[in-house]
Amino acid sequence: MATSTIKEFLVTYLMPEKCYYELFLNFHFHVPCLKFVLNKIAGFWIILDTFLAQLPQLIKILWGGSAEGLSFSAFFLQLYAFSCPVVYAMANNFPLFAWADRLFTLAQTVAIVFLILHYRGDTVRGVLLLFALSGVMLLLRSYAAAAVISVIQASSLAAFIASKVLQATTNYHNGHTGQLSTLSVLLSFAGSLGVAFVSLQETGNSPVSLSHILSACLSCVLLAQILCYKAGAVGTTKKTA
């Protein structure tokens, strides 16, 4: 019964029935089947990253009532990075369903940036920033040349990578990760790894693929910092006790 349930799940969501027999019954590591499964897993990671990566961070800030340890510059760059595909989609008149996921992620990031400023006592600055962002996006959508929009879209990955560098640097200088969400970093790592895998399959060792690999490595650094600083804090507490 359990085997039948597992088979049904795997065949429904991860692989054709032929691959199930090859991998789990014949124990034959069939390369095309392995690639198919890995692409499916990478796709799930990318979807989770796109929809949910920012949500745990937003919830943690709201739950803790603090944005301690979060780099404003890092999250502002993330705001820029998530704005780029939305501006690109609007400028090219793509249907909403094609970029609604990006809009959802952008909304979460907007809330995070606003809360960082709010908890630092800069609520008015946060509101002004949101109005300025909306205005700039609408102006770009309406008046920017196609070449400018393409350059902005291409720069989003670089901005996202730079944001991780800034947050890692902030963590190092602070000696802790503050309100940085472990789950958000983990989802970002999985998503970057998934995109890197798919990109390597499609374009080989291209600059874009290497950029996604770098992004995944930086997420790994952030994750390591969270674990190390938490372990250090636990060790210090035990010694004090």
Side-chain angles (χ1 to χ4, degrees):
M1 185 72 177
T3 306
S4 176
T5 304
I6 292 170
K7 176 189 173 183
E8 185 178 347
F9 174 81
L10 292 174
V11 170
T12 302
Y13 296 105
L14 279 181
M15 64 188 71
E17 193 166 2
K18 175 186 174 183
C19 288
Y20 174 82
Y21 285 115
E22 287 287 347
L23 296 173
F24 293 96
L25 297 183
N26 299 331
F27 299 105
H28 176 219
F29 291 100
H30 193 245
V31 174
C33 284
L34 286 173
K35 283 186 176 180
F36 184 90
V37 172
L38 289 173
N39 274 308
K40 275 279 190 179
I41 293 172
F44 285 133
W45 285 350
I46 293 167
I47 291 170
L48 285 174
D49 177 35
T50 301
F51 280 98
L52 300 177
Q54 298 293 75
L55 195 57
Q57 183 62 73
L58 178 58
I59 292 171
K60 186 167 185 177
I61 295 171
L62 290 169
W63 188 266
S66 167
E68 181 190 5
L70 301 182
S71 167
F72 172 76
S73 299
F75 279 91
F76 185 77
L77 279 174
Q78 286 190 27
L79 183 61
Y80 169 79
F82 289 127
S83 298
C84 292
V86 173
V87 171
Y88 184 81
M90 289 193 301
N92 287 281
N93 295 316
F94 292 162
L96 180 60
F97 69 82
W99 51 279
D101 57 332
R102 302 294 180 181
L103 188 61
F104 181 62
T105 306
L106 176 61
Q108 294 171 55
T109 312
V110 165
I112 290 171
V113 170
F114 172 77
L115 287 172
I116 290 174
L117 291 172
H118 171 68
Y119 286 124
R120 291 179 181 179
D122 285 334
T123 305
V124 174
R125 186 181 164 200
V127 173
L128 291 175
L129 179 65
L130 299 187
F131 278 114
L133 175 69
S134 302
V136 169
M137 289 179 67
L138 288 173
L139 285 172
L140 287 171
R141 182 241 185 234
S142 302
Y143 300 108
V148 174
I149 297 295
S150 296
V151 169
I152 291 172
Q153 168 70 352
S155 68
S156 61
L157 180 56
F160 199 57
I161 289 171
S163 76
K164 294 181 180 182
V165 173
L166 288 173
Q167 185 61 57
T169 304
T170 299
N171 295 341
Y172 176 76
H173 287 308
N174 290 342
H176 62 79
T177 56
Q179 290 291 90
L180 189 62
S181 167
T182 307
L183 184 55
S184 281
V185 174
L186 186 61
L187 287 170
S188 179
F189 169 67
S192 297
L193 208 59
V195 174
F197 178 78
V198 172
S199 183
L200 283 170
Q201 297 293 313
E202 294 177 352
T203 62
N205 296 324
S206 66
V208 174
S209 298
L210 296 176
S211 296
H212 285 301
I213 292 170
L214 176 59
S215 180
C217 290
L218 288 169
S219 292
C220 191
V221 169
L222 290 172
L223 195 58
Q225 285 181 322
I226 291 171
L227 297 175
C228 289
Y229 287 132
K230 280 186 177 178
V234 170
T236 304
T237 304
K238 286 183 177 178
K239 285 180 182 179
T240 306

